[in-house]
Amino acid sequence: MSLRRLLAPLCAGTLLLTTACSEGGEVAPAPRADPPAASDPGEGAAEILADMSLEEKVGQLFVPTLTGTTPEESAEVISAYHPGGFIYFPDNLQDTEQIVALSNGLQDRAVDDSGVPMFLGIDQEQGMVSRLPVGERFPDAMAVGATRDPDAATSLASVTAAELSALGINLDYAPVADVNINADNPVIGIRSFGSDPALVSELMTAEADAFEAGGVVPVAKHFPGHGDTDVDSHTGLPVIDKTRAEWEEVDLPPFVAAVESDIDMIMIAHVFMPELDDSGEPATLSPGIVTGILREELGYDGVVSTDALNMEGVRQTHDDGEIAVMAVLAGADQLLMPPDLATAHAAVVSAVEEGRITEERLDESVLRVLRLKLRRGLFDAAPVDPGEAAEVVGSAEHKDAAQQVADSSVTLLRNEGGVLPLREGASVRVVGSGSEEIGAELEGMGFTLAASAADADVAVVGTNGARGDAEQKGLVTQAQDAGVPVVVVAQGNPYDISELPGLDGYLATYSSVDVSRAAAARVIAGEVNPSGRLPVDIPGTDLAFGDGLTY
C-alpha cells in the first residue's frame, strides 16, 4: 500500500501529504509532503519505509531519463515504477517557465503516487558539461583549478545551486573529484580541477559544501577515479592498470575528503582496476570496491549512485536486468539511467522475491535515499515560483560572478618579446575557435580587426583540442607564415602547445564558454592582469604544474 493511500487526509490530526487543515476545518494548501514527525531523518525514514510496498521500495532506487518536456508525458512511468528521481537533459528543457512547470508537475505526481518527492537531477558541472538552456555559464573545473582559489569554487557552486533551486532541480551530478593526470583522457580532461590530489580535494569540497548550502544535493564522481584513462566509458570499459599504492596516492585523496565531509552522494565509475578487484567487472558491479573499499574501508554511509547504466562500459558482459541486480548487490543505492526501466525494475523486484537481494539489503538503500530526501528538505519543499525563477536565473549578479572566475583563471604561458599586452591601437587578426567572441571583445576595447594576418600587427588564433586536429594546426601555421607575432588562445585542455612550436604568445582559458573568451580578450588587451597558474603538467614541454606568467 502506498504511503499516500495509507496516510489519508484527516482534519482531526496532522496531514502528512499535500493538504492541511485550517482552524475552521477547511482544507488549505500546504507543502507537498510532510513526513511523520521524528527527532531525526533516520527515524522519519524508517516510518516511511515501513509503509512502502516492495515495488515502491525498488522504485526509489531508480533514476531514469525523462520523455518529452511535460510532466504528463512521464505520468505513467511514475505510477508504474515509483522512481526515486529523474535526470534532466537538454531535450527536456526549453526555458525557465517550462522547466519550472516540469519540476512542479513531476513532484506533484510523485507525491500523489507514493507520498515521496523525487530527486530531480541534472549534469550541470558548468563549462562543457552544462545541460540547462538558461542561466549563467561558468568555466570548466580546470579553470577553477587554475585560480587556486576555493572562493572561486564556492562562487560557481553557489550560483549554480541558486539557479537550479529556482528551477525546481534539487540534485546536481557534480563536482568531478577525478584527478586528471592523463593528457589523452578523452572524457575527463578540463572537467577535472587538475592533476594535484590536494588541489582537487580542496576545490571539490568547496563546491560540494556550497551546493549543499544552496539546497542542492552534490554528487562527487567518479569513484574510484576516472582521471587516468584513455578510453571513454561511454563507449568502452577503461582499464586502469596501476598499483593500489599509486591509486591511494593520486586518485583516492579527493574521495577521502568527500567521505570526511559527509558528502550527500558519491557516483561509481564504469572502470576496471584489477589491482583493486580482479573479477573483471567494472567498479559499478564490484562488491569489493563499492562495499569493501568505499563503505567498509572508507566508512562512507551516504548515498551511492551508479554512473549511467546505458553506457557501454557497464553493458559488455551482462543483460540490462542483471546489471541492475548486480549494482544493488555491489552496494549501489541509486541506479542511474537504466536503458530499459521496465526490465531493470522487474529484475530487481524478482531478485528480492527470490531472496537473491535480501529485504535487509534493499531497505538499507531505500533508507539512505529517504534520509537524504528528508535531510535536504524535499518533503517540506513548496512548488517553485516561475516569477522568482525568472529573476534569479541568469541575473546580472550571476554573470559578474562567472566573469570574475574566468578572469582569474586565464594562464599566460608564453609571452616572447613582450607581445602581450597589445599596444594601444594595434590591429589584430582573430581566427579559429571563439574568434567571433574574442574579436568582438577586442574591437569593443578599441583595437582594429584586420582582414588578414598579413595586414595585422598580431594574429590571435583560438584553439580547442588542436593536438589531434590538422585544421586547427594549419590555422596557426598560416598565421606564422604571414610573418607576424602569433598568440594562441587554448580554450579546451591546455595541452595544445605541445604540438604548436614557435608561438610568441600562449594563453590557456581551460574553457570555451563566453566569459572565458571574454577573459582571454581582456588579458590580451591588458585590461586584466593574468593570474592563473597551470593546474596540470604539459607533457613534451617545459611547462609544469604551477607555471604562469604575469604582466
Side-chain angles (χ1 to χ4, degrees):
M1 181 179 295
S2 75
L3 181 65
R4 180 173 180 80
R5 293 192 297 274
L6 182 71
L7 303 173
L10 297 172
C11 285
T14 302
L15 290 184
L16 304 178
L17 297 169
T18 56
T19 59
C21 296
S22 66
E23 292 182 0
E26 297 176 352
V27 174
R32 284 201 182 90
D34 187 10
S39 59
D40 62 61
E43 291 182 18
E47 289 191 43
I48 296 169
L49 179 76
D51 293 316
M52 297 178 77
S53 68
L54 172 59
E55 289 75 15
E56 288 172 335
K57 288 181 184 181
V58 171
Q60 286 298 305
L61 307 186
F62 285 97
V63 181
T65 54
L66 279 167
T67 299
T69 58
T70 66
E72 290 77 15
E73 291 169 280
S74 295
E76 290 186 13
V77 171
I78 293 172
S79 62
Y81 304 108
H82 328 288
F86 282 108
I87 181 170
Y88 287 176
F89 279 92
D91 286 349
N92 311 124
L93 310 174
Q94 296 172 336
D95 53 40
T96 298
E97 185 175 4
Q98 176 267 330
I99 299 170
V100 167
L102 178 63
S103 299
N104 285 338
L106 290 172
Q107 293 290 24
D108 286 344
R109 281 163 176 76
V111 171
D112 284 345
D113 172 64
S114 66
V116 180
M118 292 190 293
F119 289 132
L120 297 180
I122 194 168
D123 282 310
Q124 193 71 9
E125 296 172 13
Q126 292 291 1
M128 66 185 293
V129 179
S130 298
R131 311 300 191 196
L132 287 176
V134 296
E136 191 48 53
R137 291 281 295 278
F138 277 73
D140 291 81
M142 194 171 284
V144 178
T147 72
R148 297 296 198 277
D149 185 3
D151 288 343
T154 297
S155 175
L156 181 152
S158 296
V159 167
T160 305
E163 298 194 344
L164 293 178
S165 295
L167 295 168
I169 300 171
N170 52 38
L171 184 149
D172 193 358
Y173 290 99
V176 171
D178 300 315
V179 180
N180 197 85
I181 61 171
N182 189 332
D184 295 319
N185 195 319
V187 67
I188 303 299
I190 57 174
R191 297 168 61 194
S192 165
F193 292 109
S195 63
D196 179 68
L199 178 66
V200 174
S201 298
E202 181 181 33
L203 299 180
M204 179 277 301
T205 303
E207 278 199 12
D209 289 348
F211 277 122
E212 291 178 0
V216 171
V217 171
V219 183
K221 58 187 187 184
H222 310 77
F223 186 83
H226 211 314
D228 190 15
T229 63
D230 57 10
V231 172
D232 185 345
S233 54
H234 291 84
T235 58
L237 178 61
V239 178
I240 303 174
D241 191 13
K242 60 172 58 174
T243 67
R244 167 117 189 191
E246 290 170 332
W247 170 73
E248 289 180 351
E249 180 181 359
V250 176
D251 302 279
L252 181 59
F255 294 103
V256 170
V259 172
E260 291 179 347
S261 67
D262 195 25
I263 195 169
D264 287 341
M265 194 176 295
I266 292 176
M267 178 183 284
I268 306 297
H270 307 319
V271 297
F272 174 45
M273 296 188 68
E275 292 301 316
L276 298 186
D277 173 20
D278 62 2
S279 67
E281 299 290 356
T284 325
L285 308 182
S286 168
I289 290 177
V290 181
T291 298
I293 296 178
L294 183 57
R295 294 285 192 209
E296 296 174 356
E297 292 187 30
L298 300 185
Y300 183 63
D301 193 38
V303 175
V304 169
S305 171
T306 69
D307 204 342
L309 295 181
N310 63 357
M311 295 164 60
E312 287 305 309
V314 76
R315 301 182 72 199
Q316 297 186 353
T317 56
H318 308 285
D319 64 46
D320 292 329
E322 178 66 6
I323 287 168
V325 171
M326 291 180 67
V328 175
L329 290 172
D333 306 307
Q334 293 249 276
L335 309 180
L336 180 63
M337 296 170 59
D340 186 332
L341 176 59
T343 296
H345 187 278
V348 175
V349 169
S350 295
V352 177
E353 290 175 336
E354 295 165 2
R356 186 179 174 197
I357 297 174
T358 66
E359 290 195 33
E360 180 182 14
R361 169 67 196 91
L362 174 64
D363 288 354
E364 286 177 358
S365 285
V366 180
L367 282 170
R368 289 191 188 103
V369 171
L370 293 174
R371 283 199 302 264
L372 181 54
K373 290 181 176 182
L374 286 162
R375 189 163 72 245
R376 292 295 160 226
L378 270 63
F379 285 86
D380 301 320
V384 287
D385 180 78
E388 293 179 6
E391 294 180 5
V392 170
V393 176
S395 69
E397 180 183 1
H398 291 177
K399 171 73 173 177
D400 289 344
Q403 191 63 64
Q404 289 175 19
V405 172
D407 286 351
S408 61
S409 71
V410 178
T411 308
L412 179 62
L413 295 170
R414 285 283 185 272
N415 194 18
E416 301 298 327
V419 65
L420 297 177
L422 297 178
R423 64 174 176 78
E424 186 176 350
S427 62
V428 190
R429 173 61 172 168
V430 186
V431 296
S433 180
S435 58
E436 185 174 339
E437 294 86 349
I438 295 171
E441 287 285 337
L442 290 171
E443 191 172 31
M445 288 183 280
F447 296 94
T448 302
L449 298 185
S452 69
D455 297 326
D457 297 310
V458 175
V460 174
V461 183
T463 65
N464 192 340
R467 284 197 308 157
D469 190 323
E471 183 177 352
Q472 292 189 65
K473 292 179 185 177
L475 287 177
V476 176
T477 300
Q478 290 170 22
Q480 290 174 321
D481 289 345
V484 298
V486 176
V487 175
V488 164
V489 178
Q491 297 152 62
N493 68 58
Y495 307 115
D496 288 356
I497 192 172
S498 65
E499 296 187 17
L500 298 174
L503 298 176
D504 299 281
Y506 186 82
L507 296 172
T509 66
Y510 317 95
S511 192
S512 60
V513 297
D514 288 349
V515 290
S516 292
R517 289 170 169 170
R522 288 151 66 92
V523 168
I524 290 169
E527 295 287 329
V528 168
N529 197 11
S531 60
R533 288 180 287 159
L534 262 180
V536 295
D537 296 331
I538 300 184
T541 74
D542 59 354
L543 297 169
F545 181 92
D547 283 350
L549 305 173
T550 190
Y551 296 150

